[in-house]
Amino acid sequence: SPSRCRGTVLADDMGLGKTLQLLTFIAQAFEEDSQLSPALVVAPVALLENWRNELERFFLPGTLPLLLLYGSTLRTLRVGKAELDEELRAQGVTRLLKKNWIGDARLVLTTYETMRDLEFALASQPWSIMVCDEAQKIKTPAALVTRSAKKQKVRFRVACTGTPVENTLADLWCLFDFVQPGMLGALSHFSRTYRQPIEAKTDEQVAKVEELRALIHPQILHRKKADVAKDLPSPLEDQECKRLPMSGYQVRLYERALKT
């Protein structure tokens, strides 16, 4: 990176240690090059504590000095309204961080909402690695949080999600537009080439699925529990429950969601 590969999608099943994998990758990167810019992890609020716990549990103290850009720490680092430059206020830039706010941190952990609100401040900081945990949060191309993620100045990006496709193949396109912009072309081109024939279940569906899999294979890791943790019991599936039909109202809502 960044000349040949700018990022990857980590799509392992839940329970296979994606957080630990990523922390190990980040720690190794700093071990190999101590001059790297800090790393940024963006995650839902509910997962912030998990990231901190994994770091404290599996790594020696000081391996990755951490800054949790959230809560009381965030409040102390934000520039007060009285300190803001008049010109910036006039331009609507009212959410900034103090000079040298990052300190000695090698790893900054924050939320999607904080990244969106502090887009200007975070985008002015170079990052070596950026991880978007539960990356389905950036699956909507026009959303402010998606735009903010793509504006960050990053050498290597990682989209981490166990569900790279939740509703339509546009979810997958958006993840790859974050980690490797341009690889799947524009959204309109991707829709014509892959999404429409695959989702329409035409005769060319199988061929297009395999073509798309081959294209993204070098930059996606998708391990299943059945392949890795073979000692675990097989999951139980209720076939009757899976065949329950949706009501007409539910079908209309679902189809409307797919179109948007």
Side-chain angles (χ1 to χ4, degrees):
S1 70
S3 58
R4 298 188 181 182
C5 177
R6 298 175 62 185
T8 187
V9 175
L10 177 58
D12 283 354
D13 279 355
M14 288 180 61
L16 295 183
K18 292 191 288 294
T19 302
L20 182 56
Q21 289 181 67
L22 290 167
L23 285 171
T24 303
F25 166 63
I26 294 170
Q28 181 184 8
F30 282 116
E31 193 173 86
E32 293 178 353
D33 184 358
S34 60
Q35 302 305 310
L36 284 178
S37 300
L40 174 66
V41 172
V42 187
V45 176
L47 295 182
L48 295 182
E49 198 62 28
N50 178 63
W51 274 89
R52 182 159 61 180
N53 290 342
E54 293 278 287
L55 180 60
E56 293 175 353
R57 180 181 178 187
F58 291 103
F59 295 85
L60 294 173
T63 301
L64 288 172
L66 176 68
L67 171 62
L68 180 60
L69 194 61
Y70 182 73
S72 59
T73 302
L74 175 58
R75 286 192 291 273
T76 62
L77 292 176
R78 285 185 62 167
V79 175
K81 291 185 178 180
E83 304 172 75
L84 284 170
D85 182 89
E86 288 186 12
E87 185 176 346
L88 289 175
R89 279 205 300 268
Q91 295 176 3
V93 180
T94 59
R95 293 170 173 171
L96 293 174
L97 295 172
K98 296 178 180 178
K99 188 177 180 180
N100 300 323
W101 62 271
I102 203 165
D104 297 325
R106 308 303 299 276
L107 177 62
V108 175
L109 180 58
T110 194
T111 67
Y112 283 97
E113 293 73 22
T114 302
M115 176 187 65
R116 177 198 62 203
D117 294 344
L118 294 172
E119 176 187 306
F120 185 84
L122 293 181
S124 64
Q125 165 65 46
W127 305 103
S128 57
I129 298 166
M130 177 180 176
V131 175
C132 282
D133 196 2
E134 296 295 335
Q136 58 270 27
K137 293 274 286 185
I138 58 169
K139 70 179 182 181
T140 306
L144 290 177
V145 69
T146 304
R147 293 179 177 181
S148 177
K150 293 178 181 179
K151 287 179 182 177
Q152 300 305 311
K153 193 189 305 179
V154 186
R155 173 174 169 177
F156 191 82
R157 304 166 187 258
V158 181
C160 176
T161 173
T163 52
V165 179
E166 281 194 319
N167 295 313
T168 73
L169 283 174
D171 299 345
L172 183 69
W173 177 87
C174 203
L175 293 181
F176 272 91
D177 192 53
F178 167 68
V179 301
Q180 188 76 25
M183 192 182 96
L184 296 181
L187 180 56
S188 57
H189 167 79
F190 178 79
S191 295
R192 290 193 305 270
T193 307
Y194 298 108
R195 179 181 174 183
Q196 291 172 4
I198 290 174
E199 293 179 358
K201 299 183 179 179
T202 61
D203 293 338
E204 56 180 325
Q205 176 192 16
V206 175
K208 284 299 180 183
V209 167
E210 293 307 316
E211 182 182 326
L212 180 57
R213 282 177 175 164
L215 182 60
I216 66 175
H217 177 73
Q219 284 176 249
I220 186 169
L221 179 62
H222 178 51
R223 301 183 305 161
K224 298 180 180 179
K225 282 186 178 180
D227 300 327
V228 179
K230 297 182 180 180
D231 55 320
L232 293 177
S234 300
L236 299 176
E237 295 187 11
D238 190 326
Q239 297 301 325
E240 291 297 323
C241 182
K242 291 173 69 174
R243 285 193 288 268
L244 285 174
M246 290 192 292
S247 68
Y249 179 67
Q250 288 174 311
V251 170
R252 289 193 296 274
L253 287 178
Y254 182 69
E255 290 178 344
R256 188 188 307 164
L258 291 181
K259 291 178 181 177
T260 58

